[in-house]
Amino acid sequence: VCGASPAYGAFWRMARTARPSLNIADGHSLRARVIRSSMTTNNKTSDYPLGHTTAEDERLAWQAERFDPLTEAFFREAGIGPGQRVLDLGSGAGHVAMIASRLVGPAGAVVGVERDASSIARAESRVAEAGLHNVTFTQSDVIDIPRSDVFDAAVGRFILMFLPDPVRVVRSLSQLVRPGGVIAFQEV
């Protein structure tokens, strides 16, 4: 399941007017610009093209405030629920992992995958502050996730659009998600 939120257009209109300092053009222009800047010659993802600065953390928190309810509803509709093991791709500061954690409850588990060590540190701090004990993070490129565990679901939000070969990544996830499991990405 891969979906764009019905509120997408409203979000971008709000983003342009509510926070003009973000310099957000229309989503299509942003997407094209980001994909071009993230490509590499070895088919691995490069560093996150929007950076790992405090300003970017603040932008992602602002974005999460607006999208978390939509993401939660999307994941519920996709079938993510109590007791499941969920893989969160491109965890960043842990916003999506925390949504998944609440959905799977204490009997479930969430493993967040993130390349940037400083983002993992922020995510671990946020998870601890929230008192969530069913979330862990691992540092890895999204194409090099160890194949030792099987998950009930793989999820992400606004990650595939930053990858040079998203189809390859989704194919690799099919090896990590049990047959009949869920692959749900909220993308623009």
Side-chain angles (χ1 to χ4, degrees):
V1 175
C2 187
S5 164
Y8 165 72
F11 170 78
W12 286 109
R13 282 190 300 279
M14 178 179 60
R16 285 194 303 265
T17 58
R19 296 277 302 256
S21 63
L22 289 174
N23 295 324
I24 295 176
D26 66 280
H28 300 290
S29 298
L30 175 66
R31 180 172 187 259
R33 194 169 47 247
V34 169
I35 287 175
R36 278 193 300 274
S37 70
S38 68
M39 291 185 183
T40 63
T41 56
N42 66 0
N43 277 339
K44 291 219 177 192
T45 56
S46 69
D47 290 332
Y48 179 55
L50 300 179
H52 298 284
T53 64
T54 301
E56 177 59 4
D57 287 344
E58 290 171 1
R59 186 196 68 79
L60 289 171
W62 178 83
Q63 174 181 282
E65 286 176 23
R66 283 135 185 93
F67 272 96
D68 281 0
L70 298 169
T71 302
E72 182 174 338
F74 174 60
F75 288 171
R76 282 182 193 278
E77 188 173 326
I80 296 169
Q84 291 184 336
R85 288 184 38 80
V86 176
L87 179 67
D88 172 31
L89 208 63
S91 290
H95 297 281
V96 172
M98 292 173 71
I99 293 169
S101 170
R102 290 188 295 272
L103 291 174
V104 302
V110 177
V111 176
V113 175
E114 171 59 44
R115 286 186 59 174
D116 181 64
S118 62
S119 293
I120 291 173
R122 282 188 298 280
E124 288 173 336
S125 175
R126 293 183 69 245
V127 163
E129 187 177 302
L132 301 172
H133 303 288
N134 62 347
V135 182
T136 58
F137 295 93
T138 185
Q139 187 173 3
S140 175
D141 187 275
V142 296
I143 207 68
D144 295 327
I145 300 169
R147 301 207 184 312
S148 59
D149 292 328
V150 175
F151 294 89
D152 298 300
V155 301
R157 177 172 68 194
F158 307 145
I159 174 71
L160 297 177
M161 65 186 183
F162 290 103
L163 303 177
D165 193 352
V167 173
R168 180 178 174 208
V169 171
V170 172
R171 276 192 193 122
S172 75
L173 290 175
S174 70
Q175 303 300 309
L176 296 169
V177 175
R178 69 169 171 75
V182 174
I183 296 177
F185 285 81
Q186 186 180 28
E187 298 291 325
V188 185

